[in-house]
Amino acid sequence: MTRRLPPAPTDQYVALPEARLVTTRALLTARENLADTINARAMMCLHGGAGFGKTVAVTSCLRALEPDEDIRRITFHARPTTRAVRHELFIALELPGQPPRYATEFDHLLKNTLATHPRTLVLDEAQWLSSDQLEYVRYLWDDPCTQLAVVFVGGEGCHATLRKEPMLSSRIFIWQRFTRLTPDEVLDVIPLYHPLWADADPADIAFADQHAAHGNFRNWARLTAHTRTALHRTGRTHVDQDVLRWAFSRLGTGS
């Protein structure tokens, strides 16, 4: 799937009214790393477990650069061929006409296009890329005329996948690993994430994290949605452990 950066309302994993983007240490670090990578027209890799907030961090940080920066994103959901990567780039760059039939002609077109002005290419779920496709990205970036910054974003396997390619990994300007929120970070950021948690007892927030969310933002999004439903249906106004246990039962985890 190719596109420019998605609109801000789609950042949340679930449709959750009043949810806010919260500034974590990882997001602040990503903002600096992305800015430095783009200024250097370099490549970086941002990786970590599912639900840790990688894609939201990248899109929210890069969105602040638009329209000054030409940013294109490709998301991979299966292992592509190199030909498929060429076609994804053709679509992402919004090139006119039909894609060229022959690889040499296709490569010439892509390199000429990438040489016209600076661009940033975000490759999401980059762990799906094989050696040939990673080498192709490096080939485009290495061309002295292209003005390309590349951001690889991926799950736990992304780091290992890129590290297996010496020619590519030696060119990665910045590596950043996203991890779970620590218990202290949870208490700092979750009350800011949604009004539902703003007045919650910190002990209840810690209880929810320990039994269900585990420092994972995607888990917190689901838990918040179910807790919001529980409050609405019971007529309660504040989170407590009874409400949380009902929400846990929907998540298939916790006590």
Side-chain angles (χ1 to χ4, degrees), residues 66-237:
E66 291 185 320
D68 296 330
E69 181 71 23
D70 188 348
I71 301 169
R72 309 300 172 107
R73 187 179 79 164
I74 301 175
T75 302
F76 300 101
H77 296 294
R79 195 170 296 282
T81 63
T82 304
R83 178 174 176 80
V85 172
R86 288 188 179 97
H87 279 263
E88 292 284 1
L89 286 167
F90 184 91
I91 297 169
L93 295 170
E94 299 175 341
L95 298 177
Q98 295 298 313
R101 293 180 58 188
Y102 301 106
T104 302
E105 182 185 1
F106 215 146
D107 294 347
H108 184 71
L109 172 64
L110 291 176
K111 287 194 291 185
N112 282 347
T113 301
L114 293 172
T116 58
H117 64 270
R119 286 184 175 86
T120 296
L121 179 63
V122 180
L123 301 178
D124 203 1
E125 303 295 347
Q127 68 271 11
W128 285 107
L129 295 172
S130 68
S131 179
D132 287 346
Q133 287 84 63
L134 291 170
E135 173 61 20
Y136 186 69
V137 173
R138 185 197 65 80
Y139 161 75
L140 293 176
W141 180 85
D142 256 355
D143 188 284
C145 295
T146 59
Q147 303 178 63
L148 186 62
V150 180
V151 180
F152 295 98
V153 184
E156 289 288 9
C158 183
H159 178 268
T161 297
L162 269 62
R163 282 293 190 189
K164 289 178 182 177
E165 306 301 324
M167 295 287 286
L168 175 68
S169 64
S170 66
R171 288 163 168 77
I172 298 295
F173 188 54
I174 295 175
W175 300 85
Q176 181 181 348
R177 181 170 179 249
F178 263 57
T179 59
R180 299 178 188 275
L181 296 172
T182 67
D184 287 342
E185 285 180 303
V186 166
L187 294 179
D188 286 340
V189 305
I190 293 305
L192 303 175
Y193 169 60
H194 195 278
L196 183 151
W197 306 107
D199 297 323
D201 188 325
D204 290 334
I205 295 176
F207 177 79
D209 192 60
Q210 178 184 359
H211 289 276
H214 310 298
N216 183 303
F217 257 119
R218 191 172 296 166
N219 289 345
W220 271 108
R222 293 188 298 152
L223 178 61
T224 302
H226 291 312
T227 303
R228 189 170 176 269
T229 298
L231 292 175
H232 175 74
R233 291 183 181 174
T234 61
R236 300 189 186 193
T237 57

